[in-house]
Amino acid sequence: MSAAARLAALACCLAAAAPAAEGQVSGALDLGAGTYRPDRAIPGGIASIAPSLRIRRGLFEVAAVGNYSDAPAGRWNFQGGGTGTLRTPRLGPLQGEVFGQVDWTSHYRVEGTTTISGGARASVSPSERIRLWLGRSQGSAATLGGRRPLQRSEVGTSAWVGGVHLNLSLLRTSFDLMSGPNLGVTPDSGSPSRPQIVNGDSGRVERRLALTDAVVSGQWRFASVMFDAMVGRRFSNATPELTIWGVSAVRSLTPTVALVAAAGRAASDPVTSVPGSRYYVLGLRLILDGSASAVPLLAAPPPASAGEDTPFRVGPPVPAGREVMVRAPGARTVELAGDFTDWRPIPLLPWGDGSWRVTLRIAPGVHRLAVRTDQGEWHAPPGTRPIASEFGGEVAEIVVE
Amino acid sequence: MHLIRRFLILILLATLPMALAAQDRRLSERLDPATAAAVQQAVDSAVAVGLPTEPLVQKALEGSTLGASGDRIVAAVAALHGQLGRAREALGDDADEAELSAGAGALRAGLPAVALRRLRSLRSDRPLVVPIAVLTDLVSEGVPTEQATRSVLDLARAGRPDDEFVALRRQVQSRRGAGDPAGRPPLRPAPDPPVDR
């Protein structure tokens, strides 16, 4: 199947799945352009199209992503994948999940790879702001008419520190070697069907390649911009160590359009033979569903003293101000006005979980404010006590500590 | 003579921006000219008698955002001007802008000025914004004025921090949410040390 046909098939699946699903649906289409400098290949400009879709229904979740990029001289690449995850109900701080994953790649004049894997993951959340997880998966990668088994093991933790969502993870991928000039692998004279590689440092003969990626990443919001940064190191039993990094910023222009900028140094994927690269990309993100967030799927920092169902909240002070959250599922627009905005309506940004948020400078004290949805009447934020305004509408007075 | 005229013109040009700056641009940008002028008069009057002006401007801007007519905006600003004056009489000349705004809100909610005076006398060395806001909230929630005032004054007399005033309000709200009638005396944070009355 050609890349264009795969992309069309993926788009059809996404379009068909979205209305059919009764659960929470979020999707986006990224359109970008930039420079791409792959390892061992010709650098140049690229244009890319990357659809993504996530559907949640109860404990079940399906996610699909695709990325088609077009380079000069007709060179193109496609990467796509889908994941289905079934979670267990929470048992106190514990939760488990099983998942299945299919990934495939396709390239101009080069055979692609299809990878199928499945596994399980267990997580523990000692508090609302910290999570640790451990996972293991097994599968096989098919390319050039052959299959080879692969295993992945992961351990990680995430925590909210101030307004930053921090992640630390270790991912170990191991798979049987496949002979080929690019990998410098030589056939084993003793067993010709199994290639091997000699470790330059230890002199050990390896028949499996193992990679470990140690990555630290963080996501945070400043004003209306969501930032994402990661840095990591790749360790391997057969290849040189490599530092990988990436930064991106997403600025919502409207509830359905965002500006995206990204740069980084990606590692190669020996399983699919996708080379490592340096990239600099600028693009637009189109939100396919109004309730979806224009920023990457990033869980909101859990409030220190309120549950997820809190209808209205003014958060603690952070460098950019205080985050104001209004829960308004199904709304197309949400605006806030108060004495801390000179009563100018300030649009809130959709967060993807029914909540709308904005970060504003609000001094401690008593403040008078109102919200409105979909350009309707001004009223007190949900969960606050309405006060009849002299002007006919309803407002609220809150104490910011 | 020409020199003197030029000098006067220069003085006029130099002071013109200052005179224009005295008019709040937010009013002229958001209100029609007649309403902006009337509100500016109230602001100027507040300056003359030493009252804070920002609450008056915010009241006018609130009216503009809520789509009120110019007459209603001017009436609301004038009423607030009067409430700020009464709040200062009750809270004293040392009261800051936030306290005067909170006091004006309390008077608007129907609290007597004497309650503000008592609060000031019991808490002369600490900010009154939160206690006044909580007292206003309790009354607005339907708690009888006398009972609400007594509860807040008890906390002030005991020298409790702002957190406990906020906790008192939360307790009342949670009990109301649980079905308690509004007339029931508000809960007091425990333990409550004995105080001299």
PDB file of all heavy atoms in Angstrom, chain A residues 190-219:
ATOM      1  N   GLY A 190      29.026 -19.496  12.783  1.00  0.00           N
ATOM      2  CA  GLY A 190      28.502 -20.698  13.411  1.00  0.00           C
ATOM      3  C   GLY A 190      27.042 -20.919  13.101  1.00  0.00           C
ATOM      4  O   GLY A 190      26.603 -22.045  12.967  1.00  0.00           O
ATOM      5  N   SER A 191      26.280 -19.874  13.012  1.00  0.00           N
ATOM      6  CA  SER A 191      24.848 -19.982  12.726  1.00  0.00           C
ATOM      7  C   SER A 191      24.471 -18.897  11.729  1.00  0.00           C
ATOM      8  O   SER A 191      24.161 -17.781  12.100  1.00  0.00           O
ATOM      9  CB  SER A 191      24.028 -19.841  14.013  1.00  0.00           C
ATOM     10  OG  SER A 191      24.400 -18.644  14.664  1.00  0.00           O
ATOM     11  N   PRO A 192      24.607 -19.192  10.467  1.00  0.00           N
ATOM     12  CA  PRO A 192      24.439 -18.200   9.415  1.00  0.00           C
ATOM     13  C   PRO A 192      23.081 -17.505   9.444  1.00  0.00           C
ATOM     14  O   PRO A 192      22.957 -16.388   8.961  1.00  0.00           O
ATOM     15  CB  PRO A 192      24.593 -19.015   8.131  1.00  0.00           C
ATOM     16  CG  PRO A 192      25.148 -20.331   8.541  1.00  0.00           C
ATOM     17  CD  PRO A 192      24.889 -20.535   9.963  1.00  0.00           C
ATOM     18  N   SER A 193      22.076 -18.148  10.005  1.00  0.00           N
ATOM     19  CA  SER A 193      20.756 -17.532   9.987  1.00  0.00           C
ATOM     20  C   SER A 193      20.636 -16.435  11.047  1.00  0.00           C
ATOM     21  O   SER A 193      19.699 -15.674  11.035  1.00  0.00           O
ATOM     22  CB  SER A 193      19.675 -18.588  10.243  1.00  0.00           C
ATOM     23  OG  SER A 193      19.877 -19.164  11.509  1.00  0.00           O
ATOM     24  N   ARG A 194      21.578 -16.354  11.967  1.00  0.00           N
ATOM     25  CA  ARG A 194      21.466 -15.358  13.033  1.00  0.00           C
ATOM     26  C   ARG A 194      22.642 -14.394  12.947  1.00  0.00           C
ATOM     27  O   ARG A 194      23.792 -14.771  13.207  1.00  0.00           O
ATOM     28  CB  ARG A 194      21.431 -16.011  14.413  1.00  0.00           C
ATOM     29  CG  ARG A 194      20.203 -16.840  14.641  1.00  0.00           C
ATOM     30  CD  ARG A 194      20.046 -17.120  16.110  1.00  0.00           C
ATOM     31  NE  ARG A 194      19.775 -15.905  16.867  1.00  0.00           N
ATOM     32  CZ  ARG A 194      19.864 -15.839  18.185  1.00  0.00           C
ATOM     33  NH1 ARG A 194      20.235 -16.890  18.873  1.00  0.00           N
ATOM     34  NH2 ARG A 194      19.601 -14.708  18.802  1.00  0.00           N
ATOM     35  N   PRO A 195      22.443 -13.168  12.606  1.00  0.00           N
ATOM     36  CA  PRO A 195      23.535 -12.213  12.541  1.00  0.00           C
ATOM     37  C   PRO A 195      24.018 -11.841  13.935  1.00  0.00           C
ATOM     38  O   PRO A 195      23.359 -12.090  14.929  1.00  0.00           O
ATOM     39  CB  PRO A 195      22.909 -11.021  11.839  1.00  0.00           C
ATOM     40  CG  PRO A 195      21.457 -11.135  12.110  1.00  0.00           C
ATOM     41  CD  PRO A 195      21.155 -12.588  12.249  1.00  0.00           C
ATOM     42  N   GLN A 196      25.180 -11.248  13.982  1.00  0.00           N
ATOM     43  CA  GLN A 196      25.752 -10.829  15.266  1.00  0.00           C
ATOM     44  C   GLN A 196      26.535  -9.551  15.063  1.00  0.00           C
ATOM     45  O   GLN A 196      26.808  -9.139  13.942  1.00  0.00           O
ATOM     46  CB  GLN A 196      26.675 -11.919  15.803  1.00  0.00           C
ATOM     47  CG  GLN A 196      27.872 -12.154  14.886  1.00  0.00           C
ATOM     48  CD  GLN A 196      28.784 -13.249  15.403  1.00  0.00           C
ATOM     49  OE1 GLN A 196      28.370 -14.088  16.172  1.00  0.00           O
ATOM     50  NE2 GLN A 196      30.030 -13.230  14.966  1.00  0.00           N
ATOM     51  N   ILE A 197      26.868  -8.918  16.186  1.00  0.00           N
ATOM     52  CA  ILE A 197      27.690  -7.718  16.134  1.00  0.00           C
ATOM     53  C   ILE A 197      28.698  -7.798  17.268  1.00  0.00           C
ATOM     54  O   ILE A 197      28.392  -8.350  18.340  1.00  0.00           O
ATOM     55  CB  ILE A 197      26.825  -6.452  16.250  1.00  0.00           C
ATOM     56  CG1 ILE A 197      27.650  -5.226  15.914  1.00  0.00           C
ATOM     57  CG2 ILE A 197      26.201  -6.335  17.636  1.00  0.00           C
ATOM     58  CD1 ILE A 197      26.787  -3.989  15.734  1.00  0.00           C
ATOM     59  N   VAL A 198      29.905  -7.297  17.022  1.00  0.00           N
ATOM     60  CA  VAL A 198      30.940  -7.349  18.047  1.00  0.00           C
ATOM     61  C   VAL A 198      31.037  -5.974  18.698  1.00  0.00           C
ATOM     62  O   VAL A 198      31.261  -4.962  18.029  1.00  0.00           O
ATOM     63  CB  VAL A 198      32.300  -7.737  17.438  1.00  0.00           C
ATOM     64  CG1 VAL A 198      33.379  -7.725  18.521  1.00  0.00           C
ATOM     65  CG2 VAL A 198      32.197  -9.093  16.773  1.00  0.00           C
ATOM     66  N   ASN A 199      30.828  -5.941  20.011  1.00  0.00           N
ATOM     67  CA  ASN A 199      30.928  -4.701  20.756  1.00  0.00           C
ATOM     68  C   ASN A 199      32.359  -4.216  20.760  1.00  0.00           C
ATOM     69  O   ASN A 199      33.262  -4.943  21.176  1.00  0.00           O
ATOM     70  CB  ASN A 199      30.428  -4.928  22.194  1.00  0.00           C
ATOM     71  CG  ASN A 199      30.323  -3.614  22.955  1.00  0.00           C
ATOM     72  OD1 ASN A 199      31.266  -2.844  23.001  1.00  0.00           O
ATOM     73  ND2 ASN A 199      29.153  -3.380  23.523  1.00  0.00           N
ATOM     74  N   GLY A 200      32.586  -2.985  20.277  1.00  0.00           N
ATOM     75  CA  GLY A 200      33.935  -2.460  20.146  1.00  0.00           C
ATOM     76  C   GLY A 200      34.644  -2.299  21.475  1.00  0.00           C
ATOM     77  O   GLY A 200      35.872  -2.361  21.548  1.00  0.00           O
ATOM     78  N   ASP A 201      33.917  -2.054  22.530  1.00  0.00           N
ATOM     79  CA  ASP A 201      34.533  -1.810  23.842  1.00  0.00           C
ATOM     80  C   ASP A 201      34.853  -3.109  24.561  1.00  0.00           C
ATOM     81  O   ASP A 201      35.973  -3.314  25.030  1.00  0.00           O
ATOM     82  CB  ASP A 201      33.601  -0.955  24.713  1.00  0.00           C
ATOM     83  CG  ASP A 201      33.441   0.418  24.119  1.00  0.00           C
ATOM     84  OD1 ASP A 201      34.380   0.880  23.428  1.00  0.00           O
ATOM     85  OD2 ASP A 201      32.372   1.032  24.320  1.00  0.00           O
ATOM     86  N   SER A 202      33.862  -3.975  24.660  1.00  0.00           N
ATOM     87  CA  SER A 202      34.060  -5.182  25.463  1.00  0.00           C
ATOM     88  C   SER A 202      34.483  -6.370  24.634  1.00  0.00           C
ATOM     89  O   SER A 202      34.973  -7.354  25.182  1.00  0.00           O
ATOM     90  CB  SER A 202      32.747  -5.528  26.190  1.00  0.00           C
ATOM     91  OG  SER A 202      31.743  -5.863  25.238  1.00  0.00           O
ATOM     92  N   GLY A 203      34.314  -6.304  23.337  1.00  0.00           N
ATOM     93  CA  GLY A 203      34.647  -7.428  22.481  1.00  0.00           C
ATOM     94  C   GLY A 203      33.613  -8.527  22.516  1.00  0.00           C
ATOM     95  O   GLY A 203      33.796  -9.569  21.906  1.00  0.00           O
ATOM     96  N   ARG A 204      32.503  -8.277  23.234  1.00  0.00           N
ATOM     97  CA  ARG A 204      31.468  -9.309  23.325  1.00  0.00           C
ATOM     98  C   ARG A 204      30.700  -9.413  22.013  1.00  0.00           C
ATOM     99  O   ARG A 204      30.487  -8.421  21.321  1.00  0.00           O
ATOM    100  CB  ARG A 204      30.478  -8.960  24.440  1.00  0.00           C
ATOM    101  CG  ARG A 204      30.841  -9.637  25.737  1.00  0.00           C
ATOM    102  CD  ARG A 204      29.899  -9.299  26.850  1.00  0.00           C
ATOM    103  NE  ARG A 204      28.577  -8.884  26.446  1.00  0.00           N
ATOM    104  CZ  ARG A 204      27.729  -8.316  27.295  1.00  0.00           C
ATOM    105  NH1 ARG A 204      28.079  -8.108  28.535  1.00  0.00           N
ATOM    106  NH2 ARG A 204      26.536  -7.962  26.894  1.00  0.00           N
ATOM    107  N   VAL A 205      30.275 -10.604  21.722  1.00  0.00           N
ATOM    108  CA  VAL A 205      29.463 -10.834  20.533  1.00  0.00           C
ATOM    109  C   VAL A 205      27.992 -10.677  20.912  1.00  0.00           C
ATOM    110  O   VAL A 205      27.517 -11.312  21.852  1.00  0.00           O
ATOM    111  CB  VAL A 205      29.716 -12.245  19.966  1.00  0.00           C
ATOM    112  CG1 VAL A 205      28.762 -12.530  18.812  1.00  0.00           C
ATOM    113  CG2 VAL A 205      31.156 -12.376  19.507  1.00  0.00           C
ATOM    114  N   GLU A 206      27.296  -9.779  20.217  1.00  0.00           N
ATOM    115  CA  GLU A 206      25.894  -9.517  20.520  1.00  0.00           C
ATOM    116  C   GLU A 206      25.028 -10.029  19.376  1.00  0.00           C
ATOM    117  O   GLU A 206      25.339  -9.802  18.213  1.00  0.00           O
ATOM    118  CB  GLU A 206      25.652  -8.009  20.694  1.00  0.00           C
ATOM    119  CG  GLU A 206      26.612  -7.330  21.651  1.00  0.00           C
ATOM    120  CD  GLU A 206      26.254  -7.578  23.102  1.00  0.00           C
ATOM    121  OE1 GLU A 206      25.250  -8.267  23.354  1.00  0.00           O
ATOM    122  OE2 GLU A 206      26.992  -7.106  23.979  1.00  0.00           O
ATOM    123  N   ARG A 207      23.983 -10.750  19.710  1.00  0.00           N
ATOM    124  CA  ARG A 207      23.023 -11.159  18.684  1.00  0.00           C
ATOM    125  C   ARG A 207      21.738 -10.356  18.783  1.00  0.00           C
ATOM    126  O   ARG A 207      20.874 -10.457  17.933  1.00  0.00           O
ATOM    127  CB  ARG A 207      22.712 -12.654  18.828  1.00  0.00           C
ATOM    128  CG  ARG A 207      23.877 -13.535  18.400  1.00  0.00           C
ATOM    129  CD  ARG A 207      23.429 -14.946  18.119  1.00  0.00           C
ATOM    130  NE  ARG A 207      24.482 -15.705  17.483  1.00  0.00           N
ATOM    131  CZ  ARG A 207      25.453 -16.326  18.145  1.00  0.00           C
ATOM    132  NH1 ARG A 207      25.497 -16.276  19.471  1.00  0.00           N
ATOM    133  NH2 ARG A 207      26.380 -17.000  17.501  1.00  0.00           N
ATOM    134  N   ARG A 208      21.619  -9.608  19.860  1.00  0.00           N
ATOM    135  CA  ARG A 208      20.460  -8.728  20.005  1.00  0.00           C
ATOM    136  C   ARG A 208      20.974  -7.319  20.259  1.00  0.00           C
ATOM    137  O   ARG A 208      21.973  -7.123  20.941  1.00  0.00           O
ATOM    138  CB  ARG A 208      19.575  -9.166  21.184  1.00  0.00           C
ATOM    139  CG  ARG A 208      18.806 -10.445  20.920  1.00  0.00           C
ATOM    140  CD  ARG A 208      18.012 -10.841  22.141  1.00  0.00           C
ATOM    141  NE  ARG A 208      16.933  -9.920  22.462  1.00  0.00           N
ATOM    142  CZ  ARG A 208      15.773  -9.902  21.830  1.00  0.00           C
ATOM    143  NH1 ARG A 208      15.550 -10.747  20.840  1.00  0.00           N
ATOM    144  NH2 ARG A 208      14.839  -9.071  22.176  1.00  0.00           N
ATOM    145  N   LEU A 209      20.278  -6.364  19.724  1.00  0.00           N
ATOM    146  CA  LEU A 209      20.613  -4.966  19.967  1.00  0.00           C
ATOM    147  C   LEU A 209      19.686  -4.445  21.058  1.00  0.00           C
ATOM    148  O   LEU A 209      18.482  -4.692  21.021  1.00  0.00           O
ATOM    149  CB  LEU A 209      20.427  -4.145  18.680  1.00  0.00           C
ATOM    150  CG  LEU A 209      20.855  -2.685  18.732  1.00  0.00           C
ATOM    151  CD1 LEU A 209      22.337  -2.560  19.053  1.00  0.00           C
ATOM    152  CD2 LEU A 209      20.550  -2.013  17.399  1.00  0.00           C
ATOM    153  N   ALA A 210      20.255  -3.782  22.031  1.00  0.00           N
ATOM    154  CA  ALA A 210      19.456  -3.217  23.119  1.00  0.00           C
ATOM    155  C   ALA A 210      19.738  -1.718  23.224  1.00  0.00           C
ATOM    156  O   ALA A 210      20.889  -1.297  23.218  1.00  0.00           O
ATOM    157  CB  ALA A 210      19.777  -3.911  24.432  1.00  0.00           C
ATOM    158  N   LEU A 211      18.661  -0.950  23.281  1.00  0.00           N
ATOM    159  CA  LEU A 211      18.767   0.506  23.410  1.00  0.00           C
ATOM    160  C   LEU A 211      18.034   0.939  24.663  1.00  0.00           C
ATOM    161  O   LEU A 211      16.948   0.434  24.959  1.00  0.00           O
ATOM    162  CB  LEU A 211      18.102   1.215  22.212  1.00  0.00           C
ATOM    163  CG  LEU A 211      18.515   0.800  20.819  1.00  0.00           C
ATOM    164  CD1 LEU A 211      17.537   1.384  19.814  1.00  0.00           C
ATOM    165  CD2 LEU A 211      19.922   1.306  20.540  1.00  0.00           C
ATOM    166  N   THR A 212      18.613   1.857  25.397  1.00  0.00           N
ATOM    167  CA  THR A 212      17.913   2.414  26.557  1.00  0.00           C
ATOM    168  C   THR A 212      17.881   3.925  26.409  1.00  0.00           C
ATOM    169  O   THR A 212      18.932   4.563  26.275  1.00  0.00           O
ATOM    170  CB  THR A 212      18.634   2.037  27.861  1.00  0.00           C
ATOM    171  OG1 THR A 212      18.650   0.614  27.972  1.00  0.00           O
ATOM    172  CG2 THR A 212      17.887   2.620  29.061  1.00  0.00           C
ATOM    173  N   ASP A 213      16.677   4.475  26.409  1.00  0.00           N
ATOM    174  CA  ASP A 213      16.503   5.920  26.330  1.00  0.00           C
ATOM    175  C   ASP A 213      16.119   6.439  27.711  1.00  0.00           C
ATOM    176  O   ASP A 213      15.080   6.047  28.257  1.00  0.00           O
ATOM    177  CB  ASP A 213      15.410   6.290  25.328  1.00  0.00           C
ATOM    178  CG  ASP A 213      15.835   5.982  23.902  1.00  0.00           C
ATOM    179  OD1 ASP A 213      17.051   5.996  23.636  1.00  0.00           O
ATOM    180  OD2 ASP A 213      14.961   5.716  23.059  1.00  0.00           O
ATOM    181  N   ALA A 214      16.976   7.290  28.272  1.00  0.00           N
ATOM    182  CA  ALA A 214      16.660   7.943  29.548  1.00  0.00           C
ATOM    183  C   ALA A 214      16.259   9.381  29.228  1.00  0.00           C
ATOM    184  O   ALA A 214      17.042  10.137  28.644  1.00  0.00           O
ATOM    185  CB  ALA A 214      17.874   7.933  30.464  1.00  0.00           C
ATOM    186  N   VAL A 215      15.035   9.724  29.569  1.00  0.00           N
ATOM    187  CA  VAL A 215      14.482  10.997  29.118  1.00  0.00           C
ATOM    188  C   VAL A 215      13.857  11.751  30.293  1.00  0.00           C
ATOM    189  O   VAL A 215      13.161  11.167  31.119  1.00  0.00           O
ATOM    190  CB  VAL A 215      13.408  10.764  28.029  1.00  0.00           C
ATOM    191  CG1 VAL A 215      12.724  12.065  27.662  1.00  0.00           C
ATOM    192  CG2 VAL A 215      14.037  10.140  26.796  1.00  0.00           C
ATOM    193  N   VAL A 216      14.146  13.038  30.339  1.00  0.00           N
ATOM    194  CA  VAL A 216      13.467  13.951  31.271  1.00  0.00           C
ATOM    195  C   VAL A 216      12.701  14.949  30.416  1.00  0.00           C
ATOM    196  O   VAL A 216      13.253  15.514  29.469  1.00  0.00           O
ATOM    197  CB  VAL A 216      14.474  14.713  32.155  1.00  0.00           C
ATOM    198  CG1 VAL A 216      13.739  15.673  33.088  1.00  0.00           C
ATOM    199  CG2 VAL A 216      15.324  13.750  32.945  1.00  0.00           C
ATOM    200  N   SER A 217      11.428  15.126  30.713  1.00  0.00           N
ATOM    201  CA  SER A 217      10.636  16.073  29.933  1.00  0.00           C
ATOM    202  C   SER A 217       9.737  16.879  30.860  1.00  0.00           C
ATOM    203  O   SER A 217       9.473  16.478  32.000  1.00  0.00           O
ATOM    204  CB  SER A 217       9.791  15.343  28.886  1.00  0.00           C
ATOM    205  OG  SER A 217       8.836  14.522  29.515  1.00  0.00           O
ATOM    206  N   GLY A 218       9.316  18.003  30.361  1.00  0.00           N
ATOM    207  CA  GLY A 218       8.429  18.859  31.148  1.00  0.00           C
ATOM    208  C   GLY A 218       7.486  19.614  30.248  1.00  0.00           C
ATOM    209  O   GLY A 218       7.824  19.947  29.104  1.00  0.00           O
ATOM    210  N   GLN A 219       6.283  19.818  30.743  1.00  0.00           N
ATOM    211  CA  GLN A 219       5.304  20.625  30.023  1.00  0.00           C
ATOM    212  C   GLN A 219       4.787  21.691  30.981  1.00  0.00           C
ATOM    213  O   GLN A 219       4.538  21.412  32.154  1.00  0.00           O
ATOM    214  CB  GLN A 219       4.124  19.782  29.535  1.00  0.00           C
ATOM    215  CG  GLN A 219       4.488  18.689  28.543  1.00  0.00           C
ATOM    216  CD  GLN A 219       4.803  17.385  29.209  1.00  0.00           C
ATOM    217  OE1 GLN A 219       4.172  17.005  30.178  1.00  0.00           O
ATOM    218  NE2 GLN A 219       5.814  16.696  28.721  1.00  0.00           N
TER     219      GLN A 219
END
